[in-house]
Amino acid sequence: MKDVEIARNVSWIGVNDRTTDLFEGVWPIHDVGVTYNSYLIVDRKKAVIDLSKAMKTDEYLGQIGRSVPIQDIDYLILNHMEPDHTGVLKTLRAVSPRATILGTPKLVAMLKSWYGITENVREVADGESLELEERTLRFFHAPFVHWPETMVTYEEKDGILFSCDAFGGYGAFRGAIFDDQCPDKEFYLRESLRYYANIVAKFSSNVLRAIDKLSGLSIRVVAPSHGLVWRKEPGLIVELYRRWAGYASGAPEKGVTLVYGSMYGNTEKMMNAVAQGISSTGVELEIFDVARAHPSYVLPSLWTRAGVMIGAPTYETNLFPPMEYVLHLCGLKKIHSRRYAMFGSYGWSGGAFKHTAENVEPLHWQLDGSFEFVGAPSDEDLAKGEEFGRAFATGIKEMH
Ligand code: FEO
């Protein structure tokens, strides 16, 4: 994809990735893609801000070379060390050895261990400025958004915030790179939430800290390293990130995520009865079969909704394994302080409830009720299940 000017002499020079199957080797993006946004500022001093994953290297270097001889680059500003933003670094360094690499002290240490690069590298202090001539950049350390070494770069003249992972999202470009040019903004917002729940959620307190730290800046363009460049509504993605980060400390939306698994259809039968009860209250409900839905898609619902209804059979006196994996990820992503209820079938002895309780104990989830049935649910069981769902959802609806 060819370079795009976002301000005079400031261009997007990134890579549009539609071939990677799994982001971080975990999260499916085969159907939506992702971008590695990189930016070039051509001033008396020339700077590249964030790079790209090691793919389409020729295309990436060509993007730079169209605007300026690559050997003339003065600075490589690395907001983040993760290889989706630095994969081309060794190649770029070989082509352009005089370019000084700038980053936080932690990034400088990481450069050595990841790439063996120690020469012509400079640490930047929190709040430090760099004059290119017409344009001035300022660096703000933003640790753990997403790794310990992360920072953001602010361009003062046009108020452009190069925020790297912060305010980013999945989704390859469909031609347009700007929020005001893209007819399917909802797609990018949905994929931003999925990206948040998959990648950023664990670091929500750091996200809030970074947003507060940047609140004094006049930000007119948010230029992250994944997804849309926000020039019409830069405040929209910042406020969404603030809202999503706030869900970490409570006050998520009054909705229910129903996660279930079923070996022979009995827990599924009960799931339908429970879902009828939930939906009769008007509370928003999303349902996932955890054996089939990738957790990448389940996590956004769990992140944003206050209620979790778990339907899982006992599996060899334990919890249905795909459910255990989802709960493990809830721990990893710090999905805390939800209300939950549980139902499920067992064949000869239970066990799923006990193991679920063990899994959610560190998450500080509040149990609102549970019931088990043996084998196939009777009509009486199903009626009980519907009422069980209704009561749980009513409790969510009436939460303060
Ligand atoms: Fe887009 Fe944390 O790397």
Side-chain angles (χ1 to χ4, degrees), residues 14 47 94 96 137 146 150 159 178-179 192 245 257 273-274 311 314 319 370 376 379 385 394:
S96 183
L137 303 177
H146 160 221
T150 39
F178 296 111
D179 58 338
S192 293
T257 306
V274 172
T314 290
L319 177 60
S370 61
D379 287 347
T394 301

Coordinates of all heavy atoms in Angstrom, one line a residue, residues 14 47 94 96 137 146 150 159 178-179 192 245 257 273-274 311 314 319 370 376 379 385 394:
G14 N 3.4 2.6 6.4 CA 3.3 1.3 7.0 C 3.1 0.1 6.1 O 3.2 0.2 4.9
A47 N 13.0 11.7 10.4 CA 12.8 10.7 11.4 C 11.7 9.7 11.0 O 10.8 10.0 10.3 CB 12.3 11.4 12.7
A94 N 21.2 -2.0 8.7 CA 22.2 -2.3 7.7 C 22.2 -1.4 6.6 O 23.3 -1.0 6.1 CB 22.0 -3.8 7.2
S96 N 20.9 1.7 6.7 CA 21.0 3.1 7.1 C 21.7 3.2 8.5 O 21.1 3.5 9.5 CB 19.6 3.7 7.3 OG 19.6 5.0 7.6
L137 N 9.5 17.1 18.3 CA 8.8 15.9 18.9 C 9.1 15.9 20.4 O 10.1 16.3 20.8 CB 9.4 14.7 18.2 CG 9.3 14.6 16.7 CD1 10.0 13.3 16.2 CD2 7.9 14.5 16.3
H146 N 2.4 -1.2 25.8 CA 1.9 -2.4 26.2 C 3.0 -3.2 27.0 O 2.7 -4.1 27.8 CB 1.5 -3.2 24.9 CG 1.4 -4.6 24.8 ND1 1.9 -5.4 23.7 CD2 0.9 -5.5 25.7 CE1 1.6 -6.6 23.9 NE2 1.1 -6.8 25.1
T150 N 7.6 0.9 26.8 CA 6.8 1.7 25.8 C 6.8 3.2 26.1 O 6.8 3.6 27.3 CB 5.3 1.2 25.7 OG1 4.9 0.8 27.0 CG2 5.3 0.0 24.8
G159 N -0.1 18.6 16.3 CA -0.7 17.9 17.4 C -1.0 16.5 17.1 O -2.0 15.9 17.4
F178 N -7.7 6.9 7.2 CA -8.3 7.9 8.1 C -9.7 7.6 8.5 O -10.5 7.0 7.8 CB -8.3 9.3 7.5 CG -6.9 9.8 7.2 CD1 -6.5 10.0 5.8 CD2 -6.0 10.2 8.2 CE1 -5.2 10.5 5.5 CE2 -4.7 10.6 7.9 CZ -4.3 10.8 6.6
D179 N -10.0 7.9 9.8 CA -11.4 7.7 10.3 C -12.4 8.3 9.5 O -13.5 7.8 9.2 CB -11.5 8.1 11.8 CG -11.2 9.6 12.0 OD1 -10.5 10.2 11.2 OD2 -11.6 10.1 13.0
S192 N -11.1 -2.9 17.4 CA -10.3 -2.2 18.4 C -10.7 -2.7 19.8 O -9.8 -3.0 20.6 CB -10.6 -0.7 18.4 OG -10.1 -0.1 17.2
A245 N -10.7 0.7 29.7 CA -9.8 0.6 30.8 C -10.5 0.6 32.1 O -10.1 -0.1 33.1 CB -8.7 1.6 30.7
T257 N -22.8 -12.4 29.5 CA -22.1 -13.3 28.6 C -22.4 -14.7 29.0 O -22.2 -15.1 30.2 CB -20.6 -13.1 28.6 OG1 -20.3 -11.7 28.4 CG2 -19.9 -13.9 27.6
A273 N -32.7 -23.0 27.6 CA -33.7 -22.6 28.6 C -33.3 -21.4 29.4 O -34.0 -20.4 29.6 CB -34.0 -23.8 29.5
V274 N -32.0 -21.5 29.8 CA -31.4 -20.4 30.6 C -31.4 -19.1 29.8 O -31.8 -18.0 30.3 CB -30.0 -20.7 31.1 CG1 -29.3 -19.5 31.7 CG2 -30.1 -21.9 32.1
G311 N -22.2 -22.4 31.5 CA -22.9 -23.7 31.3 C -21.8 -24.7 30.9 O -21.3 -24.6 29.8
T314 N -19.6 -31.6 33.7 CA -18.4 -32.2 34.3 C -17.7 -33.1 33.3 O -18.4 -33.9 32.6 CB -18.9 -33.0 35.6 OG1 -19.3 -32.1 36.6 CG2 -17.7 -33.8 36.1
L319 N -13.7 -29.8 35.2 CA -14.4 -28.8 34.4 C -14.1 -29.1 32.9 O -13.0 -29.4 32.6 CB -14.0 -27.4 34.8 CG -14.5 -26.2 34.0 CD1 -16.1 -26.2 34.1 CD2 -13.9 -24.9 34.5
S370 N -26.2 -21.7 41.4 CA -25.8 -22.8 40.5 C -26.8 -23.9 40.7 O -27.4 -24.1 41.7 CB -24.4 -23.2 41.0 OG -24.4 -23.7 42.3
A376 N -29.7 -36.1 31.0 CA -30.5 -35.2 30.2 C -31.4 -34.4 31.2 O -32.0 -35.0 32.1 CB -31.3 -36.0 29.2
D379 N -38.2 -31.9 31.9 CA -39.0 -30.7 31.6 C -39.0 -29.8 32.9 O -38.9 -28.6 32.8 CB -40.4 -31.0 31.3 CG -40.5 -31.6 29.8 OD1 -39.5 -31.5 29.1 OD2 -41.6 -32.1 29.5
G385 N -34.3 -24.1 34.9 CA -33.2 -23.3 34.2 C -33.7 -22.0 33.7 O -32.9 -21.0 33.8
T394 N -32.1 -10.6 36.1 CA -32.8 -9.5 36.9 C -31.8 -8.9 37.9 O -31.8 -7.7 38.0 CB -34.0 -10.1 37.6 OG1 -34.8 -10.6 36.6 CG2 -34.7 -9.0 38.4

